[in-house]
Amino acid sequence: MKIIARPAPSQDYYPKEFLLTALTEYWAAKLQNPQMLRRLHEHVCVDGRYLAVPVEEYYRMSTFGHFNDAWMKRPRN
């Protein structure tokens, strides 16, 4: 089965390797096994992801509400 997804209207696209590096650094103190995160990303069949906001803004968010607000305010078709 082949799944085709339409790209999000956001311009905030990041390659998979960039996101993996950012997540590994962000969660460094909390990751018991960083290789598990790498294996997960290697087995996800995507080259990258569109985010709701630029990646830098995620570092300023601290609650589910902040993340949800960013998702709700993203541009839509």
Side-chain angles (χ1 to χ4, degrees):
M1 178 170 85
K2 186 171 186 171
I3 298 174
I4 300 173
R6 193 172 87 203
S10 169
Q11 298 300 313
D12 299 306
Y13 178 84
Y14 297 91
K16 177 171 57 174
E17 194 60 38
F18 175 87
L19 293 172
L20 175 59
T21 300
L23 289 171
T24 302
E25 290 173 3
Y26 184 74
W27 289 333
K30 296 181 181 180
L31 287 176
Q32 293 179 2
N33 187 352
Q35 284 304 99
M36 289 296 282
L37 183 61
R38 176 164 289 287
R39 285 181 30 207
L40 173 67
H41 276 257
E42 287 173 354
H43 288 89
V44 174
C45 297
V46 297
D47 295 326
R49 300 243 180 235
Y50 286 93
L51 301 181
V53 296
V55 73
E56 299 82 20
E57 291 187 33
Y58 284 94
Y59 293 106
R60 293 190 292 269
M61 297 181 198
S62 60
T63 67
F64 175 80
H66 294 151
F67 291 99
N68 193 55
D69 288 346
W71 174 255
M72 296 302 293
K73 292 175 184 174
R74 79 191 188 291
R76 297 184 190 136
N77 288 348

